Protein backbone atom coordinates (compact mmCIF):
# COMPACT_ATOMS: atom_id res chain seq x y z
CA UNK A 1 0.00 0.00 0.00
CA UNK A 2 1.59 3.24 -1.15
CA UNK A 3 -1.04 5.65 0.25
CA UNK A 4 -2.95 4.77 3.41
CA UNK A 5 -5.97 7.04 4.11
CA UNK A 6 -4.22 10.31 3.36
CA UNK A 7 -6.12 13.53 3.93
CA UNK A 8 -4.68 16.66 2.34
CA UNK A 9 -6.37 20.03 1.81
CA UNK A 10 -4.93 22.71 -0.45
CA UNK A 11 -6.35 26.24 -0.19
CA UNK A 12 -6.60 28.72 -3.06
CA UNK A 13 -3.44 30.81 -3.43
CA UNK A 14 -1.45 28.53 -1.15
CA UNK A 15 1.95 26.91 -1.57
CA UNK A 16 1.62 23.58 0.17
CA UNK A 17 4.85 21.62 0.60
CA UNK A 18 4.69 17.84 0.65
CA UNK A 19 7.57 16.23 2.53
CA UNK A 20 8.45 12.62 3.12
CA UNK A 21 11.30 10.17 2.78
CA UNK A 22 11.99 8.24 -0.43
CA UNK A 23 9.14 5.87 -1.13
CA UNK A 24 6.80 7.59 1.35
CA UNK A 25 4.16 7.84 -1.37
CA UNK A 26 4.39 11.49 -2.47
CA UNK A 27 4.53 10.89 -6.23
CA UNK A 28 1.86 8.19 -5.94
CA UNK A 29 -0.49 10.61 -4.17
CA UNK A 30 0.12 13.24 -6.84
CA UNK A 31 -0.38 10.70 -9.64
CA UNK A 32 -3.78 9.97 -8.10
CA UNK A 33 -4.64 13.68 -8.03
CA UNK A 34 -3.57 13.97 -11.66
CA UNK A 35 -5.65 11.01 -12.83
CA UNK A 36 -2.73 8.72 -13.64
CA UNK A 37 -3.69 6.26 -10.90
CA UNK A 38 -7.13 5.44 -9.51
CA UNK A 39 -7.55 5.31 -5.73
CA UNK A 40 -8.95 2.12 -4.20
CA UNK A 41 -10.70 4.15 -1.53
CA UNK A 42 -11.33 7.78 -0.65
CA UNK A 43 -12.35 10.78 -2.68
CA UNK A 44 -11.05 13.89 -4.37
CA UNK A 45 -13.05 17.09 -3.95
CA UNK A 46 -12.39 20.09 -6.20
CA UNK A 47 -14.21 23.33 -5.32
CA UNK A 48 -16.75 21.45 -3.23
CA UNK A 49 -17.51 18.86 -5.88
CA UNK A 50 -16.50 15.21 -5.71
CA UNK A 51 -14.66 14.28 -8.88
CA UNK A 52 -13.47 11.07 -10.49
CA UNK A 53 -10.47 11.28 -12.80
CA UNK A 54 -10.17 8.51 -15.38
CA UNK A 55 -7.08 10.09 -16.94
CA UNK A 56 -4.98 13.26 -16.77
CA UNK A 57 -7.37 14.71 -19.36
CA UNK A 58 -10.07 14.81 -16.66
CA UNK A 59 -7.67 16.30 -14.11
CA UNK A 60 -6.58 19.02 -16.53
CA UNK A 61 -10.25 19.79 -17.27
CA UNK A 62 -10.76 20.19 -13.51
CA UNK A 63 -7.91 22.74 -13.41
CA UNK A 64 -5.03 20.56 -12.22
CA UNK A 65 -1.59 20.58 -13.84
CA UNK A 66 1.47 18.51 -12.98
CA UNK A 67 5.20 18.67 -13.55
CA UNK A 68 6.56 15.17 -13.03
CA UNK A 69 9.60 14.06 -11.05
CA UNK A 70 11.31 12.85 -14.23
CA UNK A 71 11.19 14.87 -17.42
CA UNK A 72 8.34 13.98 -19.74
CA UNK A 73 9.34 16.17 -22.70
CA UNK A 74 10.07 14.78 -26.16
CA UNK A 75 13.74 15.67 -26.65
CA UNK A 76 13.63 16.07 -30.44
CA UNK A 77 10.55 18.31 -30.43
CA UNK A 78 10.70 22.09 -30.12
CA UNK A 79 9.40 23.85 -27.05
CA UNK A 80 6.17 24.83 -28.86
CA UNK A 81 5.63 21.27 -30.13
CA UNK A 82 6.06 19.90 -26.63
CA UNK A 83 3.66 22.41 -25.16
CA UNK A 84 1.05 21.60 -27.79
CA UNK A 85 1.42 17.82 -27.35
CA UNK A 86 -1.84 16.39 -25.98
CA UNK A 87 -3.72 19.63 -26.68
CA UNK A 88 -3.09 19.90 -30.39
CA UNK A 89 -5.12 22.42 -32.30
CA UNK A 90 -5.71 22.13 -36.00
CA UNK A 91 -6.78 24.57 -38.62
CA UNK A 92 -8.65 23.80 -41.82
CA UNK A 93 -11.18 21.33 -40.38
CA UNK A 94 -10.82 18.22 -38.24
CA UNK A 95 -8.35 16.61 -40.64
CA UNK A 96 -6.46 19.85 -41.12
CA UNK A 97 -2.96 20.94 -40.20
CA UNK A 98 -1.41 21.42 -36.79
CA UNK A 99 -1.70 25.06 -35.85
CA UNK A 100 1.93 25.66 -35.00
CA UNK A 101 1.55 29.40 -35.03
CA UNK A 102 -1.10 29.28 -32.29
CA UNK A 103 1.13 26.97 -30.26
CA UNK A 104 4.07 29.38 -30.56
CA UNK A 105 1.87 32.28 -29.53
CA UNK A 106 0.55 30.37 -26.54
CA UNK A 107 4.12 29.71 -25.37
CA UNK A 108 5.07 33.36 -25.72
CA UNK A 109 1.90 34.47 -23.93
CA UNK A 110 2.32 32.10 -20.98
CA UNK A 111 6.01 32.79 -20.61
CA UNK A 112 5.37 36.57 -20.57
CA UNK A 113 2.50 36.36 -18.13
CA UNK A 114 4.45 34.36 -15.53
CA UNK A 115 7.98 35.56 -16.23
CA UNK A 116 9.12 32.13 -17.45
CA UNK A 117 11.53 32.88 -20.24
CA UNK A 118 11.62 30.19 -22.96
CA UNK A 119 12.18 30.28 -26.70
CA UNK A 120 9.30 28.45 -28.45
CA UNK A 121 11.55 27.37 -31.34
CA UNK A 122 14.43 25.77 -29.42
CA UNK A 123 14.73 22.01 -29.61
CA UNK A 124 14.29 20.65 -26.10
CA UNK A 125 17.35 18.37 -26.06
CA UNK A 126 19.61 21.38 -26.66
CA UNK A 127 18.34 23.21 -23.58
CA UNK A 128 19.97 23.16 -20.15
CA UNK A 129 17.94 21.22 -17.55
CA UNK A 130 16.87 24.41 -15.78
CA UNK A 131 15.23 25.66 -18.96
CA UNK A 132 13.67 22.24 -19.65
CA UNK A 133 12.11 22.45 -16.21
CA UNK A 134 10.68 25.86 -17.17
CA UNK A 135 9.25 24.35 -20.36
CA UNK A 136 7.46 21.70 -18.28
CA UNK A 137 5.91 24.46 -16.17
CA UNK A 138 4.93 26.51 -19.22
CA UNK A 139 3.31 23.38 -20.62
CA UNK A 140 1.30 22.81 -17.44
CA UNK A 141 0.27 26.48 -17.24
CA UNK A 142 -0.74 26.63 -20.91
CA UNK A 143 -3.90 24.74 -19.95
CA UNK A 144 -5.95 27.09 -17.73
CA UNK A 145 -5.22 25.50 -14.36
CA UNK A 146 -5.76 26.53 -10.72
CA UNK A 147 -3.60 23.95 -9.01
CA UNK A 148 -0.05 23.15 -10.08
CA UNK A 149 1.71 20.06 -8.77
CA UNK A 150 5.51 20.29 -8.82
CA UNK A 151 7.13 16.92 -8.05
CA UNK A 152 10.76 17.59 -7.06
CA UNK A 153 11.31 20.35 -9.60
CA UNK A 154 14.52 21.55 -7.96
CA UNK A 155 16.39 18.21 -7.77
CA UNK A 156 18.28 18.92 -11.00
CA UNK A 157 18.52 22.71 -10.73
CA UNK A 158 21.50 24.84 -9.77
CA UNK A 159 21.08 27.06 -6.68
CA UNK A 160 20.56 30.06 -8.96
CA UNK A 161 17.95 28.28 -11.10
CA UNK A 162 16.26 27.14 -7.89
CA UNK A 163 16.00 30.70 -6.62
CA UNK A 164 14.47 31.72 -9.94
CA UNK A 165 11.93 28.92 -9.70
CA UNK A 166 10.99 29.87 -6.14
CA UNK A 167 10.39 33.40 -7.43
CA UNK A 168 8.13 32.04 -10.21
CA UNK A 169 6.21 30.09 -7.58
CA UNK A 170 5.66 33.25 -5.54
CA UNK A 171 4.38 34.97 -8.69
CA UNK A 172 1.92 32.13 -9.38
CA UNK A 173 0.70 32.32 -5.82
CA UNK A 174 0.19 36.07 -6.16
CA UNK A 175 -1.87 35.31 -9.28
CA UNK A 176 -4.13 33.15 -7.10
CA UNK A 177 -2.85 29.73 -8.15
CA UNK A 178 -2.34 26.94 -5.65
CA UNK A 179 0.82 24.86 -5.69
CA UNK A 180 1.72 21.49 -4.23
CA UNK A 181 5.51 21.51 -3.96
CA UNK A 182 7.53 18.33 -3.38
CA UNK A 183 11.18 18.65 -2.44
CA UNK A 184 13.77 17.08 -0.16
CA UNK A 185 15.45 20.43 0.52
CA UNK A 186 14.16 21.87 3.74
CA UNK A 187 15.64 25.30 2.99
CA UNK A 188 13.33 25.62 -0.03
CA UNK A 189 10.33 24.54 1.98
CA UNK A 190 11.06 27.17 4.58
CA UNK A 191 11.56 29.80 1.88
CA UNK A 192 8.22 29.47 0.05
CA UNK A 193 5.73 27.17 1.78
CA UNK A 194 2.62 28.41 3.57
CA UNK A 195 1.89 25.01 5.04
CA UNK A 196 3.74 21.70 5.11
CA UNK A 197 2.32 18.18 5.15
CA UNK A 198 4.66 15.35 6.08
CA UNK A 199 3.90 11.80 5.00
CA UNK A 200 5.69 8.68 6.17
CA UNK A 201 5.25 5.17 4.79
CA UNK A 202 2.03 6.16 3.05
CA UNK A 203 0.41 7.88 6.01
CA UNK A 204 -0.09 11.51 6.87
CA UNK A 205 2.06 12.37 9.88
CA UNK A 206 1.28 16.04 10.38
CA UNK A 207 0.36 19.29 8.65
CA UNK A 208 2.42 22.13 10.03
CA UNK A 209 3.79 25.63 9.28
CA UNK A 210 7.25 26.72 8.05
CA UNK A 211 8.35 27.89 11.49
CA UNK A 212 8.92 24.23 12.37
CA UNK A 213 12.70 23.74 12.61
CA UNK A 214 14.64 21.78 9.97
CA UNK A 215 15.65 19.21 12.59
CA UNK A 216 12.02 18.68 13.58
CA UNK A 217 10.87 18.37 9.95
CA UNK A 218 13.63 15.85 9.28
CA UNK A 219 12.63 13.85 12.33
CA UNK A 220 8.94 13.91 11.29
CA UNK A 221 9.87 12.59 7.84
CA UNK A 222 12.18 9.83 8.91
CA UNK A 223 10.69 8.94 12.28
CA UNK A 224 13.97 9.43 14.17
CA UNK A 225 16.49 12.20 14.77
CA UNK A 226 18.70 12.89 11.73
CA UNK A 227 22.18 14.39 11.81
CA UNK A 228 22.28 17.14 9.21
CA UNK A 229 26.09 17.37 9.45
CA UNK A 230 28.60 14.64 8.61
CA UNK A 231 30.67 12.83 11.25
CA UNK A 232 34.25 12.20 10.20
CA UNK A 233 37.82 12.15 11.42
CA UNK A 234 40.68 13.86 9.55
CA UNK A 235 41.82 12.01 6.41
CA UNK A 236 44.98 9.90 6.35
CA UNK A 237 45.96 10.31 2.72
CA UNK A 238 48.25 7.68 1.21
CA UNK A 239 49.65 7.16 -2.30
CA UNK A 240 48.07 8.95 -5.28
CA UNK A 241 45.42 6.69 -6.85
CA UNK A 242 44.09 8.96 -9.58
CA UNK A 243 46.24 11.50 -11.43
CA UNK A 244 44.79 13.62 -14.18
CA UNK A 245 47.23 15.75 -16.22
CA UNK A 246 46.47 18.46 -18.76
CA UNK A 247 43.08 16.98 -19.56
CA UNK A 248 41.15 18.43 -22.49
CA UNK A 249 37.64 17.17 -23.24
CA UNK A 250 35.04 18.45 -25.70
CA UNK A 251 31.29 18.74 -25.18
CA UNK A 252 28.57 17.76 -27.69
CA UNK A 253 29.08 20.97 -29.63
CA UNK A 254 32.80 20.43 -29.97
CA UNK A 255 33.70 23.15 -27.47
CA UNK A 256 36.44 22.66 -24.92
CA UNK A 257 34.35 21.77 -21.86
CA UNK A 258 37.43 20.67 -19.90
CA UNK A 259 40.33 22.94 -20.65
CA UNK A 260 43.58 21.61 -19.20
CA UNK A 261 42.67 20.09 -15.84
CA UNK A 262 45.25 18.69 -13.43
CA UNK A 263 44.17 16.89 -10.30
CA UNK A 264 45.27 14.16 -7.96
CA UNK A 265 43.27 12.04 -5.54
CA UNK A 266 45.12 10.03 -2.91
CA UNK A 267 44.11 6.83 -1.18
CA UNK A 268 42.01 7.56 1.89
CA UNK A 269 40.95 11.09 0.99
CA UNK A 270 37.91 12.73 -0.56
CA UNK A 271 38.65 15.35 -3.20
CA UNK A 272 35.51 17.38 -3.73
CA UNK A 273 34.88 19.30 -6.93
CA UNK A 274 32.75 22.34 -6.27
CA UNK A 275 31.32 24.44 -9.03
CA UNK A 276 28.18 25.69 -10.67
CA UNK A 277 26.77 22.92 -12.83
CA UNK A 278 27.80 23.18 -16.47
CA UNK A 279 31.41 24.21 -15.89
CA UNK A 280 32.91 21.00 -17.22
CA UNK A 281 32.35 18.72 -14.24
CA UNK A 282 30.16 16.29 -16.19
CA UNK A 283 32.65 16.05 -19.07
CA UNK A 284 35.58 15.65 -16.67
CA UNK A 285 33.94 12.71 -14.92
CA UNK A 286 32.81 11.09 -18.17
CA UNK A 287 36.33 11.36 -19.59
CA UNK A 288 37.83 9.73 -16.50
CA UNK A 289 35.27 6.93 -16.80
CA UNK A 290 36.00 6.33 -20.49
CA UNK A 291 32.55 7.55 -21.52
CA UNK A 292 33.81 10.55 -23.48
CA UNK A 293 37.00 10.88 -25.54
CA UNK A 294 40.02 12.59 -24.01
CA UNK A 295 41.41 15.05 -26.58
CA UNK A 296 44.67 15.78 -24.79
CA UNK A 297 46.29 14.92 -21.48
CA UNK A 298 46.25 11.72 -19.47
CA UNK A 299 44.37 9.80 -16.82
CA UNK A 300 46.53 7.59 -14.60
CA UNK A 301 44.97 5.07 -12.24
CA UNK A 302 47.17 3.39 -9.65
CA UNK A 303 50.28 4.03 -11.77
CA UNK A 304 48.75 2.73 -14.99
CA UNK A 305 47.67 5.03 -17.82
CA UNK A 306 44.01 4.43 -18.62
CA UNK A 307 43.35 7.37 -20.95
CA UNK A 308 40.54 6.52 -23.41
CA UNK A 309 40.26 2.94 -22.14
CA UNK A 310 36.90 1.19 -22.30
CA UNK A 311 34.58 1.92 -19.38
CA UNK A 312 34.35 -1.78 -18.62
CA UNK A 313 38.13 -2.00 -18.15
CA UNK A 314 38.13 1.06 -15.93
CA UNK A 315 35.38 -0.39 -13.73
CA UNK A 316 37.28 -3.69 -13.60
CA UNK A 317 40.40 -1.86 -12.45
CA UNK A 318 38.56 -1.11 -9.20
CA UNK A 319 36.63 2.05 -9.92
CA UNK A 320 33.11 2.60 -8.58
CA UNK A 321 30.95 5.09 -10.45
CA UNK A 322 27.82 6.89 -9.31
CA UNK A 323 26.70 8.79 -12.44
CA UNK A 324 24.86 12.09 -12.20
CA UNK A 325 22.05 11.02 -14.52
CA UNK A 326 20.71 7.87 -12.94
CA UNK A 327 18.14 7.01 -15.60
CA UNK A 328 20.53 7.47 -18.53
CA UNK A 329 23.75 6.00 -17.14
CA UNK A 330 22.97 4.24 -13.86
CA UNK A 331 20.10 1.84 -14.35
CA UNK A 332 18.32 -0.29 -16.91
CA UNK A 333 14.71 0.69 -16.23
CA UNK A 334 13.11 -2.57 -17.38
CA UNK A 335 15.53 -4.81 -15.51
CA UNK A 336 14.69 -5.95 -12.01
CA UNK A 337 16.29 -4.48 -8.91
CA UNK A 338 18.40 -7.65 -8.55
CA UNK A 339 19.61 -7.47 -12.16
CA UNK A 340 20.51 -3.81 -11.76
CA UNK A 341 22.50 -4.67 -8.65
CA UNK A 342 24.83 -6.95 -10.64
CA UNK A 343 25.22 -4.92 -13.85
CA UNK A 344 28.99 -4.84 -13.45
CA UNK A 345 29.60 -8.19 -11.72
CA UNK A 346 27.10 -10.59 -13.33
CA UNK A 347 29.74 -12.52 -15.28
CA UNK A 348 31.92 -13.23 -12.28
CA UNK A 349 31.56 -15.43 -9.21
CA UNK A 350 29.43 -15.65 -7.17
CA UNK A 351 26.87 -14.38 -9.67
CA UNK A 352 27.84 -16.20 -12.81
CA UNK A 353 30.46 -17.18 -15.33
CA UNK A 354 30.94 -16.24 -18.97
CA UNK A 355 28.18 -18.71 -19.88
CA UNK A 356 25.56 -18.84 -17.16
CA UNK A 357 23.94 -16.66 -14.53
CA UNK A 358 23.33 -18.05 -11.06
CA UNK A 359 19.94 -16.53 -10.35
CA UNK A 360 19.79 -17.84 -6.77
CA UNK A 361 23.10 -16.14 -5.95
CA UNK A 362 21.98 -12.95 -7.68
CA UNK A 363 18.77 -12.88 -5.67
CA UNK A 364 20.54 -13.65 -2.40
CA UNK A 365 23.11 -10.91 -3.09
CA UNK A 366 20.30 -8.50 -3.93
CA UNK A 367 18.43 -9.24 -0.70
CA UNK A 368 21.60 -8.52 1.23
CA UNK A 369 22.28 -5.20 -0.53
CA UNK A 370 18.61 -4.15 -0.29
CA UNK A 371 18.71 -4.71 3.46
CA UNK A 372 22.06 -2.98 3.98
CA UNK A 373 21.14 0.09 1.96
CA UNK A 374 17.49 0.21 3.07
CA UNK A 375 16.20 0.14 -0.50
CA UNK A 376 12.39 0.25 -0.33
CA UNK A 377 11.11 -2.22 -2.89
CA UNK A 378 8.33 -4.80 -2.86
CA UNK A 379 10.76 -7.50 -4.07
CA UNK A 380 14.25 -7.94 -5.57
CA UNK A 381 12.39 -9.00 -8.72
CA UNK A 382 10.41 -5.78 -9.15
CA UNK A 383 11.42 -3.73 -12.19
CA UNK A 384 13.67 -0.94 -10.96
CA UNK A 385 11.43 1.62 -12.71
CA UNK A 386 8.68 0.95 -10.16
CA UNK A 387 10.87 2.19 -7.29
CA UNK A 388 10.58 5.75 -6.05
CA UNK A 389 13.24 8.14 -7.40
CA UNK A 390 15.36 8.18 -4.25
CA UNK A 391 15.26 4.41 -3.95
CA UNK A 392 16.51 4.05 -7.53
CA UNK A 393 19.47 6.19 -6.46
CA UNK A 394 20.10 3.88 -3.49
CA UNK A 395 20.23 0.86 -5.83
CA UNK A 396 23.13 2.51 -7.70
CA UNK A 397 24.98 3.45 -4.53
CA UNK A 398 24.53 -0.10 -3.16
CA UNK A 399 25.84 -1.67 -6.37
CA UNK A 400 28.89 0.57 -6.67
CA UNK A 401 29.95 0.23 -3.04
CA UNK A 402 29.41 -3.53 -2.96
CA UNK A 403 32.73 -4.48 -4.59
CA UNK A 404 36.28 -3.70 -3.45
CA UNK A 405 37.31 -0.31 -4.81
CA UNK A 406 40.49 1.69 -5.35
CA UNK A 407 38.66 4.76 -6.53
CA UNK A 408 35.08 5.92 -6.14
CA UNK A 409 33.84 8.56 -8.58
CA UNK A 410 30.62 9.96 -7.16
CA UNK A 411 28.72 12.56 -9.19
CA UNK A 412 25.76 14.18 -7.42
CA UNK A 413 25.48 11.05 -5.22
CA UNK A 414 22.49 12.26 -3.19
CA UNK A 415 20.39 13.85 -5.93
CA UNK A 416 16.69 13.33 -5.13
CA UNK A 417 17.51 11.48 -1.93
CA UNK A 418 15.72 12.17 1.37
CA UNK A 419 17.50 13.62 4.42
CA UNK A 420 17.77 10.31 6.23
CA UNK A 421 19.30 8.61 3.19
CA UNK A 422 21.64 11.54 2.55
CA UNK A 423 23.01 10.99 6.04
CA UNK A 424 23.41 7.29 5.26
CA UNK A 425 25.07 7.74 1.85
CA UNK A 426 27.48 10.32 3.27
CA UNK A 427 28.44 7.91 6.03
CA UNK A 428 29.03 5.19 3.43
CA UNK A 429 31.28 7.44 1.35
CA UNK A 430 33.30 8.43 4.42
CA UNK A 431 33.54 4.76 5.46
CA UNK A 432 34.79 3.90 1.96
CA UNK A 433 37.45 6.63 2.36
CA UNK A 434 38.43 5.20 5.75
CA UNK A 435 38.95 1.79 4.11
CA UNK A 436 41.62 3.51 2.01
CA UNK A 437 39.64 4.20 -1.17
CA UNK A 438 40.32 7.43 -3.03
CA UNK A 439 37.10 9.36 -3.55
CA UNK A 440 36.40 11.94 -6.24
CA UNK A 441 33.16 13.69 -5.31
CA UNK A 442 31.45 16.05 -7.73
CA UNK A 443 28.48 17.95 -6.41
CA UNK A 444 26.65 21.15 -7.18
CA UNK A 445 25.51 21.20 -3.53
CA UNK A 446 28.20 23.22 -1.81
CA UNK A 447 27.03 21.91 1.58
CA UNK A 448 27.66 18.38 0.43
CA UNK A 449 31.20 19.20 -0.73
CA UNK A 450 31.95 21.13 2.46
CA UNK A 451 30.49 18.28 4.52
CA UNK A 452 32.50 15.35 3.21
CA UNK A 453 35.49 16.55 1.18
CA UNK A 454 39.00 16.72 2.67
CA UNK A 455 40.22 19.03 -0.07
CA UNK A 456 38.12 21.09 -2.46
CA UNK A 457 38.94 21.85 -6.10
CA UNK A 458 36.82 24.67 -7.50
CA UNK A 459 35.95 24.30 -11.15
CA UNK A 460 34.87 27.17 -13.37
CA UNK A 461 34.87 27.49 -17.15
CA UNK A 462 36.47 24.07 -17.65
CA UNK A 463 39.44 24.77 -15.38
CA UNK A 464 40.36 24.15 -11.77
CA UNK A 465 40.68 27.66 -10.39
CA UNK A 466 42.10 26.61 -7.03
CA UNK A 467 42.38 23.66 -4.69
CA UNK A 468 41.71 24.66 -1.11
CA UNK A 469 41.46 22.94 2.28
CA UNK A 470 38.01 21.80 3.43
CA UNK A 471 37.83 24.43 6.18
CA UNK A 472 37.98 27.33 3.69
CA UNK A 473 35.14 29.79 4.37
CA UNK A 474 32.14 29.11 2.16
CA UNK A 475 32.05 32.75 0.94
CA UNK A 476 35.56 32.35 -0.46
CA UNK A 477 34.56 29.15 -2.28
CA UNK A 478 31.40 30.87 -3.51
CA UNK A 479 33.50 33.63 -5.07
CA UNK A 480 35.81 31.09 -6.69
CA UNK A 481 32.79 29.25 -8.10
CA UNK A 482 31.73 32.51 -9.73
CA UNK A 483 35.20 32.75 -11.28
CA UNK A 484 36.55 35.41 -8.93
CA UNK A 485 39.77 34.45 -7.22
CA UNK A 486 40.28 35.88 -3.78
CA UNK A 487 43.74 37.30 -4.57
CA UNK A 488 42.30 39.30 -7.44
CA UNK A 489 39.67 40.61 -5.05
CA UNK A 490 42.34 41.88 -2.70
CA UNK A 491 43.93 44.02 -5.41
CA UNK A 492 42.51 47.55 -5.05
N1 LIG B 1 3.88 1.22 -10.53
C1 LIG B 1 4.27 0.76 -9.34
N2 LIG B 1 4.33 -0.55 -9.08
C2 LIG B 1 4.71 -1.02 -7.89
N3 LIG B 1 5.08 -0.23 -6.85
C3 LIG B 1 5.03 1.08 -7.04
C4 LIG B 1 4.65 1.67 -8.30
N4 LIG B 1 4.70 3.00 -8.17
C5 LIG B 1 5.13 3.25 -6.92
N5 LIG B 1 5.33 2.11 -6.24
C6 LIG B 1 5.78 1.98 -4.84
O1 LIG B 1 5.03 2.87 -4.04
C7 LIG B 1 5.85 3.42 -3.01
C8 LIG B 1 5.74 4.94 -3.03
O2 LIG B 1 6.46 5.46 -4.14
P1 LIG B 1 6.47 6.99 -4.53
O3 LIG B 1 7.08 7.07 -5.87
O4 LIG B 1 5.11 7.57 -4.34
O5 LIG B 1 7.46 7.60 -3.43
P2 LIG B 1 7.96 9.12 -3.22
O6 LIG B 1 7.44 9.55 -1.90
O7 LIG B 1 7.59 9.94 -4.39
O8 LIG B 1 9.53 8.92 -3.12
P3 LIG B 1 10.79 9.77 -3.75
O9 LIG B 1 11.08 10.86 -2.80
O10 LIG B 1 11.91 8.77 -3.74
O11 LIG B 1 10.40 10.21 -5.13
C9 LIG B 1 7.26 2.92 -3.27
O12 LIG B 1 7.52 1.87 -2.37
C10 LIG B 1 7.22 2.41 -4.70
O13 LIG B 1 8.13 1.36 -4.88
MG1 LIG C 1 8.65 10.80 -5.94
Amino acid sequence: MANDSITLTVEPGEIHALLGENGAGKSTLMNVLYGLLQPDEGEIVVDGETVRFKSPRDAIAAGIGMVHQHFMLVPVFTVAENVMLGAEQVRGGPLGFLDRRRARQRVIEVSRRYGLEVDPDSVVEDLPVGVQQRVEIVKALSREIDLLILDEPTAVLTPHETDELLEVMRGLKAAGKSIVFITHKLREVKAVADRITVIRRGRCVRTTTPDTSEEELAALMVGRAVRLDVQKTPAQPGEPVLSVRGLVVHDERGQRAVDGVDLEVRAGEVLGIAGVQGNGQTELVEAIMGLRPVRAGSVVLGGETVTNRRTRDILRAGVGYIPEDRSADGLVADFTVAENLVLDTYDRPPYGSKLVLDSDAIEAGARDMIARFDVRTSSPNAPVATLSGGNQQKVIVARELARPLKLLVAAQPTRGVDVGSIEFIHQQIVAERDRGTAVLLVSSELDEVLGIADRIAVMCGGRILATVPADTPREEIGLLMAGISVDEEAVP
Side-chain angles (χ1 to χ4, degrees):
M1 188 173 339
N3 285 173
D4 187 357
S5 1
I6 293 185
T7 297
L8 172 75
T9 311
V10 184
E11 305 286 341
E14 174 187 44
I15 301 181
H16 198 119
L18 194 56
L19 284 182
E21 57 184 341
N22 297 131
K26 304 178 297 291
S27 298
T28 304
L29 180 64
M30 294 302 116
N31 286 337
V32 169
L33 284 190
Y34 193 56
L36 281 166
L37 292 173
Q38 272 64 49
D40 298 306
E41 268 176 41
E43 57 177 10
I44 304 170
V45 180
V46 179
D47 288 333
E49 232 171 278
T50 303
V51 291
R52 194 169 274 279
F53 297 151
K54 285 199 229 60
S55 76
R57 202 176 280 275
D58 297 340
I60 293 168
I64 299 174
M66 177 158 174
V67 173
H68 297 269
Q69 183 165 6
H70 299 112
F71 286 130
M72 298 277 181
L73 300 172
V74 181
V76 295
F77 279 9
T78 66
V79 170
E81 285 164 347
N82 267 287
V83 168
M84 132 169 106
L85 198 62
E88 297 85 351
Q89 293 191 321
V90 290
R91 57 191 163 79
L95 295 175
F97 299 95
L98 282 177
D99 196 346
R100 286 169 195 276
R101 196 150 46 121
R102 272 252 295 273
R104 284 189 76 249
Q105 261 156 6
R106 189 82 187 116
V107 172
I108 295 169
E109 213 177 277
V110 173
S111 62
R112 283 230 184 92
R113 175 144 38 119
Y114 300 105
L116 287 155
E117 216 174 294
V118 292
D119 168 11
D121 302 318
S122 308
V123 175
V124 161
E125 65 186 353
D126 296 338
L127 297 173
V129 279
V131 181
Q132 292 191 20
Q133 188 65 270
R134 239 180 280 158
V135 175
E136 292 269 17
I137 297 174
V138 167
K139 176 167 176 137
L141 291 172
S142 69
R143 293 95 189 251
E144 297 301 331
I145 55 152
D146 305 311
L147 170 69
L148 179 63
I149 298 166
L150 297 173
D151 192 353
E152 285 191 50
T154 58
V156 293
L157 301 188
T158 64
H160 177 68
E161 287 168 337
T162 299
D163 289 340
E164 283 182 350
L165 179 64
L166 298 185
E167 210 38 57
V168 167
M169 288 168 63
R170 291 192 188 99
L172 288 169
K173 175 183 154 178
K177 310 268 181 219
S178 309
I179 299 176
V180 176
F181 176 40
I182 301 179
T183 178
H184 288 291
K185 298 177 190 162
L186 302 176
R187 177 186 77 83
E188 298 167 3
V189 171
K190 303 203 70 144
V192 291
D194 298 302
R195 287 194 300 158
I196 302 165
T197 292
V198 181
I199 60 177
R200 184 162 78 230
R201 295 188 184 237
R203 288 165 167 262
C204 220
V205 185
R206 190 186 296 174
T207 297
T208 175
T209 50
D211 44 1
T212 314
S213 73
E214 292 196 12
E215 284 73 18
E216 200 177 332
L217 287 172
L220 280 173
M221 284 165 65
V222 183
R224 61 173 171 89
V226 178
R227 289 203 66 98
L228 297 169
D229 56 340
V230 187
Q231 300 269 290
K232 71 182 197 351
T233 52
Q236 317 256 313
E239 292 296 299
V241 173
L242 174 73
S243 303
V244 170
R245 293 277 162 262
L247 205 71
V248 174
V249 186
H250 290 186
D251 64 13
E252 271 77 22
R253 290 178 208 91
Q255 313 275 10
R256 278 184 171 225
V258 177
D259 191 10
V261 161
D262 295 313
L263 59 83
E264 190 170 83
V265 194
R266 295 172 170 269
E269 73 162 356
V270 179
L271 176 70
I273 298 202
V276 177
Q277 220 171 327
N279 275 279
Q281 300 95 317
T282 305
E283 290 81 2
L284 170 65
V285 164
E286 289 181 350
I288 293 172
M289 294 308 304
L291 289 165
R292 189 179 278 275
V294 170
R295 304 287 168 157
S298 63
V299 179
V300 178
L301 184 68
E304 196 190 334
T305 304
V306 295
T307 323
N308 287 330
R309 277 289 172 77
R310 291 191 311 169
T311 304
R312 187 187 187 82
D313 298 337
I314 293 171
L315 293 172
R316 287 288 147 95
V319 180
Y321 177 43
I322 303 173
E324 65 171 45
D325 185 344
R326 65 172 162 258
S327 3
D329 299 323
L331 296 168
V332 181
D334 297 334
F335 280 17
T336 65
V337 173
E339 286 164 343
N340 271 285
L341 283 168
V342 296
L343 282 184
D344 44 14
T345 42
Y346 64 89
D347 57 347
R348 284 185 296 178
Y351 301 129
S353 64
K354 285 229 150 32
L355 287 174
V356 286
L357 293 177
D358 182 342
S359 45
D360 290 343
I362 291 175
E363 189 171 327
R367 284 188 192 282
D368 175 52
M369 287 187 252
I370 287 168
R372 271 202 293 141
F373 286 82
D374 189 27
V375 178
R376 306 272 167 88
T377 173
S378 51
S379 138
N381 301 316
V384 81
T386 64
L387 266 60
S388 78
N391 280 296
Q392 295 183 13
Q393 183 71 15
K394 287 198 257 174
V395 169
I396 298 175
V397 175
R399 176 183 68 217
E400 297 305 311
L401 294 182
R403 57 207 158 87
L405 299 180
K406 272 193 232 153
L407 172 70
L408 172 66
V409 178
Q412 322 291 352
T414 58
R415 184 172 271 178
V417 167
D418 69 53
V419 281
S421 307
I422 288 176
E423 177 194 36
F424 179 76
I425 291 175
H426 284 172
Q427 282 167 353
Q428 296 297 313
I429 292 177
V430 171
E432 195 60 46
R433 176 202 80 167
D434 292 342
R435 277 195 285 277
T437 303
V439 180
L440 179 65
L441 166 77
V442 179
S443 176
S444 48
E445 298 284 332
L446 188 49
D447 286 323
E448 179 160 56
V449 176
L450 288 169
I452 47 181
D454 301 304
R455 289 185 302 131
I456 300 174
V458 185
M459 201 162 172
C460 180
R463 292 165 183 265
I464 304 278
L465 281 194
T467 303
V468 296
D471 55 2
T472 309
R474 78 179 284 134
E475 296 69 42
E476 202 172 301
I477 297 178
L479 284 174
L480 282 167
M481 281 168 62
I484 304 163
S485 101
V486 182
D487 300 341
E488 283 171 31
E489 272 286 280
V491 177

